[in-house]
Amino acid sequence: MFATPGKDLLTLTDRAAERVKALMRLNEKAIGLKVGIKMAGCSGFTYTMDYAEEATGREDTIESKGVRLFIDPAASMFLLGTELDWNEDRLESRFVFNNPNVKAMCGCGESFTV
């Protein structure tokens, strides 16, 4: 796993861990969730998440609170120190990336710059 003294690559809140567990129950083949970033949006990058059905051995693996996340190695330097949370309110439900590396976000909040 990617290591920097004093910083975890990615941490999960209890709410996020519970949501990941719920998603894992929906896909029998899934062994965890893949997390990455891609170039998109007006600010440059957006987060990606998908089911992981196998480990490639190239990704950083995080096991925390009973869930497993596979981090795309190209995304690790952009995610260092990020907290993954789950937010639900009357209008939406979504994962929230609290990323200390973000320098700017687009107006809609879907893309970011580091």
Side-chain angles (χ1 to χ4, degrees):
M1 184 169 135
F2 186 85
T4 298
K7 278 195 177 180
D8 290 327
L9 175 56
L10 186 82
T11 58
L12 292 113
T13 64
D14 291 339
R15 288 185 306 254
E18 290 306 313
R19 183 60 184 156
V20 172
K21 289 176 190 176
L23 290 171
M24 293 298 92
R25 290 190 290 270
L26 298 175
N27 184 339
E28 293 178 6
K29 295 179 183 179
I31 61 171
L33 286 183
K34 295 187 285 187
V35 177
I37 61 169
K38 67 179 181 177
M39 293 197 72
C42 52
S43 287
F45 297 103
T46 190
Y47 300 104
T48 63
M49 294 182 78
D50 199 358
Y51 290 106
E53 294 184 356
E54 65 182 1
T56 66
R58 295 182 308 116
E59 62 273 289
D60 295 310
T61 304
I62 296 170
E63 294 189 43
S64 176
K65 300 181 182 186
V67 301
R68 189 179 314 166
L69 300 177
F70 297 93
I71 311 299
D72 180 344
S76 293
M77 67 184 207
F78 299 105
L79 295 174
L80 183 62
T82 297
E83 175 192 68
L84 180 60
D85 195 8
W86 175 253
N87 186 18
E88 286 186 41
D89 61 33
R90 293 181 352 162
L91 299 176
E92 68 180 354
S93 301
R94 65 187 179 113
F95 284 103
V96 176
F97 290 82
N98 297 313
N99 187 338
N101 305 302
V102 171
K103 303 295 184 222
M105 293 191 75
C106 68
C108 67
E110 293 296 318
S111 64
F112 63 95
T113 302
V114 291

